[in-house]
Amino acid sequence: MCQHQPHCPPADAPDREAARLIAFHPEQGWWLLCNGVVVFDDTGELLPDGRSIPARRSPCERAA
């Protein structure tokens, strides 16, 4: 997916969130990274292969 240099970390890498932002929809609570990962504002993630990564914090903690 990544066409720029240096390449973004792949979706299965621990630092996958370091990939470049290519789409941002704060009104819907998500953004898309260059490596195909969808990150949600509650810190949950959806990987390109369909696996989900649970949120590391709850929306209540975010508002505090």
Side-chain angles (χ1 to χ4, degrees), residues 7-46:
H7 290 292
C8 290
D12 58 352
D15 62 344
R16 65 182 154 264
E17 291 181 16
R20 288 190 186 184
L21 182 69
I22 60 172
F24 183 54
H25 294 279
E27 73 282 358
Q28 297 175 355
W30 63 272
W31 56 95
L32 176 64
L33 303 179
C34 181
N35 57 9
V37 174
V38 177
V39 181
F40 298 96
D41 62 2
D42 69 355
T43 70
E45 300 174 4
L46 184 60

